[in-house]
Amino acid sequence: MTPTAASAAFDESAKTLAADAPFFIVMNAGSGRRQSDATRSVLERELGAVGRRFELRVVDDPRRLADVAREAAAAARKEGGVLVGAGGDGTLCTVAHAAHDAGCAFAVLPRGTFNYFSRDHGIPADLDRSTTLLLDARAFPVQVGFVNGRMFLVNASLGLYPRLLEDREIYKRQFGRSRLVALWSALSTMLKPHRHLRLHIDHEGSTTEIRSSTLFVGNNRLQMEQIGMPDEARALEQGLLVAIAPRPVGRLMHLWLSLHGAAGRLSDSDHVVSFTFEHITVTHPSKKRRLVKIATDGEIAKLQMPLEFRVSDKPLFLLKPEPAEAEANRS
């Protein structure tokens, strides 16, 4: 596969940070006060013990997360430091967006349920290990995607998938956060009535109309591998994104496709359309500038059509293990 212009632009060397670069850590308190206290304790033990300066900003109101992240990113850029996100993929994406805009290095302390972004880059889920990694890791360029002006690290979607996420949050509030609760919620949503979208997709000079319950755009190699799409996973390393759309099928077939994905066999199905791209524009056949629900890394927003999905022409510089170690850590 020929590298794209975007991937060629990412052929930059990893950056070694100054030995005294400070860390500006933004954490979403929605994960719980106990988790916030535990994170602070580990930071004081691992970073404080070696005299490394850090500042932890715990955000109690999720609506302020983006503003706090931008303030911390400005401080990191001014002082040659690192902006660190502590949380799940949604929190990490918001904080990463601020780092990307400010042009400062970014690091993560995984504190979520699935942690697709950190796992894909070989960052340990263990808080002690991921904190220790901050001290000597280099910053490597990694690919990010955008839909209109909204960044995503793992995936973006419209249609049924945002509904799955909304229902999952309801189940989590009732039964707690776990992968089993997320799976049960997904099965319940799949069995409810849903309508199919009619979309026009402009890609490389041609327009294709699709009917589907959802349009899913992936930017995570681990997630693509887990659902059984290895060729698409490799395309992500060439500066491309992956679009996936199930063909119009009934609820039971949707459930069957989901089980195929969970078993890592989605590419075996004839009921799924997929393609890779650098840039696509998605419109409704009526051409009306309507608002649609979009999910980016688990967070829901309303964006106005047309929707432009694209690979960013500027990488995010992420602190992560050296390539061989990162590959060994992926799980």
Side-chain angles (χ1 to χ4, degrees):
M1 185 179 294
T2 303
T4 65
S7 65
F10 293 176
D11 288 339
E12 304 178 49
S13 299
K15 297 179 179 180
T16 301
L17 303 177
D20 60 349
F23 299 107
F24 297 86
I25 303 155
V26 177
M27 182 172 188
N28 188 347
S31 54
R33 177 56 59 184
R34 181 178 298 179
Q35 194 176 89
S36 300
D37 292 343
T39 301
R40 186 183 297 276
S41 177
V42 171
L43 291 169
E44 290 174 348
R45 183 176 70 247
E46 300 295 337
L47 302 184
V50 296
R52 196 67 171 270
R53 184 162 66 90
F54 74 90
E55 177 183 309
L56 176 62
R57 305 186 185 195
V58 179
V59 183
D60 294 309
D61 183 353
R63 294 172 297 183
R64 296 203 61 244
L65 181 63
D67 290 337
V68 173
R70 282 192 290 268
E71 293 166 3
R77 179 177 175 85
K78 180 179 179 180
E79 299 191 35
V82 181
L83 181 63
V84 184
D89 287 323
T91 296
L92 298 184
C93 182
T94 299
V95 181
H97 198 162
H100 188 261
D101 286 347
C104 62
F106 176 64
V108 306
L109 299 176
R111 307 295 280 156
T113 303
F114 293 97
N115 298 319
Y116 275 115
F117 179 70
S118 57
R119 288 165 60 202
D120 191 34
H121 291 287
I123 296 169
D126 178 76
L127 182 58
D128 290 67
R129 291 179 60 201
S130 59
T131 302
T132 303
L133 177 68
L134 300 178
L135 294 172
D136 53 16
R138 293 191 295 162
F140 291 83
V142 301
Q143 173 177 294
V144 299
F146 276 89
V147 50
N148 292 5
R150 195 173 176 89
M151 195 177 86
F152 57 96
L153 302 174
V154 179
N155 59 55
S157 60
L158 65 153
L160 180 61
Y161 195 72
R163 181 177 169 183
L164 284 169
L165 296 176
E166 288 181 320
D167 289 350
R168 188 175 75 186
E169 287 305 308
I170 294 173
Y171 271 71
K172 282 182 177 180
R173 285 194 292 270
Q174 292 178 330
F175 304 110
R177 292 179 177 271
S178 73
R179 296 191 184 192
L180 184 60
V181 169
L183 176 60
W184 180 254
S185 170
L187 292 175
S188 175
T189 305
M190 287 286 186
L191 293 174
K192 296 176 182 177
H194 55 263
R195 64 185 182 87
H196 292 104
L197 304 169
R198 288 184 63 216
L199 301 171
H200 283 175
I201 299 180
D202 295 327
H203 178 222
E204 296 183 345
S206 63
T207 300
T208 302
E209 180 173 314
I210 68 167
R211 289 187 68 243
S212 179
S213 61
T214 192
L215 176 65
F216 179 94
V217 176
N219 184 41
N220 186 270
R221 183 171 52 131
L222 177 63
Q223 192 173 55
M224 291 296 102
E225 290 173 349
Q226 285 188 343
I227 64 176
M229 306 191 80
D231 292 340
E232 289 79 357
R234 287 189 289 271
L236 296 174
E237 299 177 334
Q238 302 296 325
L240 298 169
L241 298 172
V242 178
I244 304 171
R247 300 184 191 276
V249 294
R251 281 174 279 174
L252 290 179
M253 181 55 71
H254 252 294
L255 183 58
W256 180 249
L257 289 175
S258 299
L259 293 174
H260 259 57
R265 297 175 53 194
L266 195 61
S267 62
D268 295 343
S269 175
D270 295 329
H271 297 286
V272 175
V273 176
S274 67
F275 60 93
T276 59
F277 67 92
E278 281 187 86
H279 178 277
I280 58 172
T281 301
V282 179
T283 58
H284 189 271
S286 69
K287 302 297 183 182
K288 291 182 179 178
R289 295 177 62 83
R290 58 178 63 193
L291 287 173
V292 294
K293 283 186 180 180
I294 300 292
T296 52
D297 293 349
E299 302 296 322
I300 309 295
K302 286 188 176 181
L303 300 182
Q304 192 172 66
M305 281 192 163
L307 301 173
E308 294 191 8
F309 293 88
R310 64 179 177 87
V311 178
S312 174
D313 57 4
K314 182 178 76 170
L316 173 72
F317 277 90
L318 173 69
L319 267 66
K320 65 176 187 174
E322 296 298 313
E325 182 183 353
E327 192 64 30
N329 288 344
R330 290 179 73 238
S331 62

